[in-house]
Amino acid sequence: MEPVTLTTERLLLSPFTADDIDVVYAACQDPVIQRWTTIPSPYEHHHAEHFIGQMVPDGWRRDTEYALAVRPRYGGPVLAAISLHHPRSGTWEVGYWTAEEHRGLGYMAEAITAMAHWSFTALGAVRMEWRAEVGNAASRAVAEKTGVVVEGTLRAGLLNKGTLRDCWVGGLLPSDLGLPGPYPYLPTRP
C-alpha cells in the first residue's frame, strides 16, 4: 500500500521524511518513551535513521505496519508517532508515542481516532487492538479516552527489551465509532 495522509481538526498524520530523523531521535531520548515502548534503549541516531529510512517504508510496502508522523495540521515538527501493526484476522494493533512537550493536549487521542476510522473504512478492519505494559497508566488513559474498552490482562503478553511483561489489552470496534462493520457482531449477553 502507498502511504496515506490523514487530517483531523488539529493534526496532519503523514508519512515520515528524512527531515524528521533528528526530531524523532530527540523525542526518543525521553526515558518515558524508552521505558514504556519497544524502541531500543539506549536510542541512538542510527535507530531513527533505520526507522524512517527502512522500517517505515518496508511496513507500507509489505502491508505489515502503517506508521505515520503526527504533526500540527498547518505545519510544524513531529509531535508524535502512531502506527497500525501486527495484522491478524482483520485486527490491527495501534501503537504510539508522544513527545514529552506535547503530552496532555489531546493530540494522541485525536490521532488514534483518525487511525481507527481509516482502519475501519479503508482497510476493512474488524477490530483495532491496543496493548500496553501493565502500569503504563498514561497510555491506558489515552486509549480509554478514544473509546477503547480495556478487556483484560495478558500474562507475558508483551516482549519489550528481551523480557516478557504482562500487558493490558483493549479493543475498539467499528460500531464504537458509529461505523458499520464488515460482518455482523453478536455480543455475548450476560
Side-chain angles (χ1 to χ4, degrees), residues 14 33 42 53 69 73 76 81-82 91 103 106 123 126 137 140 144:
S14 61
I33 292 174
R73 183 170 179 170
I82 188 166
T91 297
R103 292 184 194 136
L123 299 179
V126 298
R140 182 174 176 152
E144 290 180 322

Side-chain angles (χ1 to χ4, degrees), residues 37-48:
T37 71
T38 58
I39 68 167
S41 181
Y43 194 83
E44 299 175 357
H45 201 270
H46 71 89
H47 292 121

Side-chain angles (χ1 to χ4, degrees), residues 112-128 172-185:
I112 292 169
T113 301
M115 285 292 269
H117 191 275
W118 178 71
S119 75
F120 296 140
T121 59
L123 299 179
V126 298
R127 173 182 166 86
M128 187 180 78
L172 190 67
L173 305 177
S175 58
D176 296 332
L177 297 180
L179 298 170
Y183 303 102
Y185 170 49

